[in-house]
Amino acid sequence: MAAPLRALLRPAAVTVTAALPRACLPPPLRGPCGARRCSSGAAFQYLLVQKTGAQKNVGLIQLNRPKALNALCEGLMAELRRALEAMESDPQVGAIVLTGSQKAFAAGADIKEMQNKTFQESYSGGFLSGWDKVSIVRKPIIAAVNGYALGGGCELAMMCDIIYAGEKAEFGQPEILLGTIPGAGGTQRLTRAVGKSLAMEMVLTGDRISAKEAKEAGLVSKVYPVEKLLDAAIACAEKIASNSKLVAAMAKESVNAAFETTLTEGNRTEKRLFYATFATSDRKEGMTAFVEKRKANFTDS
């Protein structure tokens, strides 16, 4: 790794709002004590949460712990679970964008919180088990990654369904340099995304890869200039949200089956979900609109 991990976790003079175009992220709502609030009124200390897009059908969640380069402490992850649950239950939201700052998506888990943990504490308490919430949300999630996505930050991005990266983004699993290994899916998702050889190299050396290398390896789908990344991610989310929310959830489940099961079981899941679309009004509307040469008006949520 080019610099010690602790150097990445030093306080940095970074403002989160600088990463987001003003048209996409107006000043956050604030409560009496200055806490950030989402549209439902829930206060957050470590997140900026709102709905965005022309139809306000995209949930935008921004990690907001700039002095620690968005290091993933337990408080931040608890808030993220709460924000995702609010987006999941909001019928207006069809897709979610998760982002950080221009300097860091997330530089890793909070080492200070982990430093003195024991095996007994970690095992008995199910340490990091709650992090999987991101991967089980049924609505599609796009990670918009600028800057560092290291350790837990890389794992968090990989829990999302699509990763867009700014051209200066860096991905890595440097846990080996701290005498440990990834614990939130890093060895598993990274291997499935980029293959055994590159994953093994990254996990065993702690070396990072650039956004360009990540795209070439299949970890990232698209790379954009830093200042255009968030707009691109929101545009993709808007496109997804314009389709049937119910069928999008089915499509996500089917693709995940390819990622996590055998080909035979994946095909069985796909067929079952394909048949299930014929029970929806959106499938009927979509095919009718195609025959009538008009835009479909999807209503299922």
Side-chain angles (χ1 to χ4, degrees), residues 211-286:
K212 181 176 181 294
E213 291 169 323
K215 184 178 185 304
E216 291 171 351
L219 180 62
V220 164
S221 59
K222 292 183 180 177
V223 177
Y224 292 92
V226 171
E227 66 278 3
K228 295 183 179 180
L229 171 67
L230 186 62
D231 284 336
I234 290 173
C236 179
E238 286 187 283
K239 186 179 295 186
I240 293 170
S242 70
N243 296 318
S244 167
K245 297 179 181 64
L246 180 60
V247 177
M250 292 178 176
K252 173 174 173 173
E253 181 181 346
S254 189
V255 173
N256 279 335
F259 196 68
E260 298 171 356
T261 66
T262 65
L263 177 60
T264 299
E265 182 60 32
N267 278 330
R268 186 178 296 116
T269 298
E270 179 188 78
K271 198 73 70 183
R272 173 177 57 80
L273 291 167
F274 169 68
Y275 294 153
T277 66
F278 284 77
T280 70
S281 59
D282 278 351
R283 192 281 314 169
K284 183 176 181 180
E285 164 63 13

Side-chain angles (χ1 to χ4, degrees), residues 54-286:
Q55 304 299 319
K56 299 297 181 185
N57 57 0
V58 173
L60 177 59
I61 302 175
Q62 184 188 6
L63 308 182
N64 185 34
R65 201 183 174 208
K67 290 184 178 180
L69 294 181
N70 293 331
L72 305 175
C73 62
E74 292 183 4
L76 186 153
M77 294 306 295
E79 288 188 359
L80 181 56
R81 290 192 293 273
R82 185 153 52 88
L84 288 170
E85 287 168 359
M87 296 296 183
E88 183 88 291
S89 62
D90 189 332
Q92 187 179 11
V93 173
I96 300 165
V97 173
L98 179 62
T99 192
S101 69
Q102 285 190 349
K103 184 71 173 179
F105 175 74
D110 193 315
I111 305 304
K112 291 181 180 179
E113 282 191 348
M114 293 192 290
Q115 183 179 3
N116 296 317
K117 281 189 178 292
T118 65
F119 165 76
Q120 288 86 346
E121 285 180 285
S122 301
Y123 187 84
S124 299
F127 183 48
L128 301 185
S129 60
W131 287 33
D132 285 342
K133 176 64 180 179
V134 181
S135 65
I136 62 174
V137 171
R138 299 180 74 182
K139 293 180 179 179
I141 305 178
I142 301 170
V145 178
N146 267 321
Y148 302 121
L150 306 177
C154 186
E155 291 172 312
L156 180 62
M158 291 190 292
M159 291 179 199
C160 299
D161 303 303
I162 298 170
I163 303 178
Y164 279 7
E167 56 193 1
K168 295 182 180 180
E170 296 183 26
F171 298 84
Q173 298 291 161
E175 289 86 351
I176 195 77
L177 304 177
L178 302 176
T180 187
I181 69 171
T187 62
Q188 303 304 299
R189 291 190 175 91
L190 185 63
T191 304
R192 285 165 169 77
V194 306
K196 178 183 176 181
S197 182
L198 180 55
M200 194 72 81
E201 180 183 10
M202 291 173 67
V203 170
L204 293 181
T205 66
D207 287 348
R208 310 173 205 166
I209 59 174
S210 66
K212 181 176 181 294
E213 291 169 323
K215 184 178 185 304
E216 291 171 351
L219 180 62
V220 164
S221 59
K222 292 183 180 177
V223 177
Y224 292 92
V226 171
E227 66 278 3
K228 295 183 179 180
L229 171 67
L230 186 62
D231 284 336
I234 290 173
C236 179
E238 286 187 283
K239 186 179 295 186
I240 293 170
S242 70
N243 296 318
S244 167
K245 297 179 181 64
L246 180 60
V247 177
M250 292 178 176
K252 173 174 173 173
E253 181 181 346
S254 189
V255 173
N256 279 335
F259 196 68
E260 298 171 356
T261 66
T262 65
L263 177 60
T264 299
E265 182 60 32
N267 278 330
R268 186 178 296 116
T269 298
E270 179 188 78
K271 198 73 70 183
R272 173 177 57 80
L273 291 167
F274 169 68
Y275 294 153
T277 66
F278 284 77
T280 70
S281 59
D282 278 351
R283 192 281 314 169
K284 183 176 181 180
E285 164 63 13

Side-chain angles (χ1 to χ4, degrees), residues 39-58:
S39 57
S40 65
F44 296 103
Q45 181 180 356
Y46 302 114
L47 304 177
L48 299 175
V49 182
Q50 68 176 58
K51 290 190 284 190
T52 190
Q55 304 299 319
K56 299 297 181 185
N57 57 0
V58 173

